[in-house]
Amino acid sequence: MLDGELGEAKQTAMGILAALGKIYNAEKMIPVKNAQVAGVSYKTIGDAGLEYLEHLASKGAKVEIPTFMNPAGMDVEQWKGMGIPKDFAEKQIKILDAYKKMGIMSTYTCAPYQIGIRPGKGEHVAWAESSAVAFANSVLGARTNREGGPSALSAGICGVTPYYGLHIDSNRVARVKVKVEAELKTENDFGTMGYYIGKLVGKEYPAFHGIKADEIQLKLLGAAMAASGAVPLFYVKDITPEYVVTDDAEEIVFTENELKEMKEEIDSREKPDLVTLGCPHASIDEIKKVAELVEKKKPTSKFWICTARKTKEEAEKLGYDKIIKEAGGIIVADTCMVVCPLKEMGFNITGANSGKAAKYLPNMCKQKVAYGDIEDILYR
Ligand code: F3S
């Protein structure tokens, strides 16, 4: 591949992987089961990214293993109704076409594990979306580094990745413990703790004890730590499939005070123009919960629930879509509040229950954030 015997596109992709391998002293390449490519929204990759992808596609680049996409900058079916600017949509469609030409699946989700793509414990993958990386490593026990868009795409094209970092078991050791004394009740509580701990630990792998959590809560926790810090792996005692901590780990204590202060720091206390839920993308259970809530009492703000298209279709079949529409909301597929052009669509204050969304909305979308539990932000 590196010598170009299998074509220019593979040579370019292997060049990227080989360079990464050299930087990190990888002893070899290993096969990966699948790859997840980030850098799909026109908003995040711009014209330079579009040109690069079109160039690769024109050189005949094709993926060798199942490879799927992160959210795009718009719902590919209802973008007009959502007020996405036409020139943005045209560029976005070109990006999606280039990826499709390479054989990449149009999943457009940051939570592939909710639509059946769930690598098992010990399986090697190459994922780029930071929240999905944290989920795959921690909740599923799979092995992936926090890939960049180009390295994940290269892994998809070549079917391998350099063997370093979190692919090697002996590197997957937590050196920070987190003793949780706060009582965490909602997804927002988990996202808030993640926001706080991520900021504190950066790239470390925290090991939590003292909490009970379901998969949705772990998803929100990991996503926030991956955004406020760069945490690619965490453990939760008696819950995650692995829990590996050094004996001399430093211990952080997270109490009700940190929870309250962090929430106060993030929340602008304003009434949102738009409430956005589903960061990371909502599961069918999360959509069901919101549908049940808004059926009883109509929210005081417009709202979106961001999810994968497959999940939206399921919600339509189950009638949640209709209930949500009648309550002033829409189920938005293929995109999210952060990677779509919110500002250009006229929004200034966005509601979010997710720590990750709250971290990115101010910088990437120039939004003030109304932050809190779902009920708080929907009825503020
Ligand atoms: Fe997913 Fe967008 Fe949040 S990509 S993790 S919903 S910022």
Side-chain angles (χ1 to χ4, degrees):
M1 289 184 203
L2 197 55
D3 290 343
E5 282 172 27
L6 298 178
E8 194 183 327
K10 271 213 165 74
Q11 188 177 28
T12 307
M14 184 50 87
I16 291 172
L17 298 176
L20 262 180
K22 267 199 190 130
I23 292 169
Y24 291 103
N25 282 325
E27 69 187 62
K28 60 182 177 183
M29 295 282 172
I30 51 161
V32 280
K33 192 178 179 194
N34 57 46
Q36 192 235 7
V37 171
V40 179
S41 170
Y42 176 63
K43 178 172 161 179
T44 54
I45 66 169
D47 290 321
L50 168 59
E51 259 171 49
Y52 172 72
L53 293 171
E54 284 187 329
H55 173 74
L56 262 186
S58 73
K59 295 287 169 201
K62 288 267 183 265
V63 292
E64 290 263 330
I65 51 172
T67 303
F68 30 89
M69 283 184 240
N70 219 26
M74 62 188 198
D75 184 312
V76 297
E77 287 183 9
Q78 51 181 352
W79 62 269
K80 276 189 195 144
M82 285 170 63
I84 301 279
K86 190 161 171 276
D87 51 339
F88 181 96
E90 282 168 2
K91 299 270 178 82
Q92 182 62 70
I93 289 166
K94 284 186 181 172
I95 291 173
L96 304 183
D97 285 347
Y99 275 129
K100 282 188 236 168
K101 209 169 161 189
M102 294 187 239
I104 300 175
M105 292 186 262
S106 312
T107 46
Y108 311 139
T109 185
C110 50
Y113 44 85
Q114 286 174 178
I115 57 164
I117 305 166
R118 291 174 77 89
K121 189 176 165 197
E123 274 183 337
H124 295 274
V125 295
W127 286 15
E129 155 55 36
S130 66
S131 67
V133 166
F135 193 95
N137 276 320
S138 318
V139 184
L140 303 178
R143 270 86 176 113
T144 177
N145 284 320
R146 196 170 142 128
E147 300 293 346
S151 65
L153 178 57
S154 300
I157 292 171
C158 300
V160 296
T161 198
Y163 185 59
Y164 72 95
L166 291 173
H167 290 288
I168 300 172
D169 283 359
S170 58
N171 290 338
R172 298 170 61 96
V173 180
R175 289 182 300 178
V176 183
K177 273 184 172 179
V178 183
K179 183 178 179 199
V180 183
E181 289 181 353
E183 197 191 341
L184 306 174
K185 297 187 201 100
T186 65
E187 281 80 38
N188 180 246
D189 290 343
F190 279 85
T192 305
M193 179 168 77
Y195 198 118
Y196 178 89
I197 297 296
K199 255 182 22 167
L200 215 59
V201 306
K203 290 182 178 172
E204 291 290 335
Y205 317 143
F208 294 87
H209 57 110
I211 53 173
K212 288 202 178 78
D214 61 25
E215 196 169 297
I216 305 299
Q217 291 164 335
L218 295 178
K219 173 177 79 167
L220 273 281
L221 172 66
M225 290 193 290
S228 66
V231 173
L233 165 69
F234 63 94
Y235 296 119
V236 181
K237 195 157 183 17
D238 301 327
I239 293 185
T240 50
E242 295 161 296
Y243 185 85
V244 189
V245 191
T246 51
D247 293 340
D248 57 351
E250 174 202 344
E251 185 163 88
I252 297 168
V253 183
F254 185 81
T255 70
E256 294 292 340
N257 279 345
E258 281 80 33
L259 182 65
K260 186 167 166 278
E261 281 166 20
M262 194 74 253
K263 278 194 193 189
E264 284 173 0
E265 190 185 315
I266 304 171
D267 184 17
S268 67
R269 287 173 205 80
E270 302 220 29
K271 178 168 172 52
D273 306 331
L274 172 74
V275 169
T276 58
L277 307 172
C279 171
H281 272 175
S283 67
I284 194 69
D285 286 344
E286 289 172 278
I287 296 175
K288 178 177 183 246
K289 260 202 211 162
V290 176
E292 285 169 354
L293 178 70
V294 301
E295 192 175 27
K296 281 191 215 122
K297 188 175 166 200
K298 191 171 171 175
T300 51
S301 300
K302 283 200 263 191
F303 65 101
W304 291 0
I305 308 179
C306 302
T307 191
R309 180 148 304 276
K310 199 172 166 194
T311 313
K312 179 177 159 79
E313 285 166 3
E314 204 180 336
E316 283 166 357
K317 268 191 217 136
L318 294 167
Y320 304 144
D321 187 58
K322 192 166 168 276
I323 298 169
I324 284 162
K325 254 189 214 146
E326 281 167 5
I330 40 173
I331 301 181
V332 172
D334 315 320
T335 187
C336 80
M337 63 298 278
V338 170
V339 299
C340 79
L342 264 193
K343 187 79 181 170
E344 293 74 3
M345 293 162 77
F347 298 112
N348 294 305
I349 307 167
T350 299
N353 71 327
S354 154
K356 173 170 177 177
K359 171 70 191 168
Y360 285 142
L361 281 166
N363 290 338
M364 282 183 68
C365 310
K366 307 280 174 284
Q367 299 291 299
K368 280 192 181 170
V369 179
Y371 182 71
D373 293 341
I374 294 180
E375 293 193 39
D376 167 12
I377 53 179
L378 279 179
Y379 301 102
R380 191 172 280 194

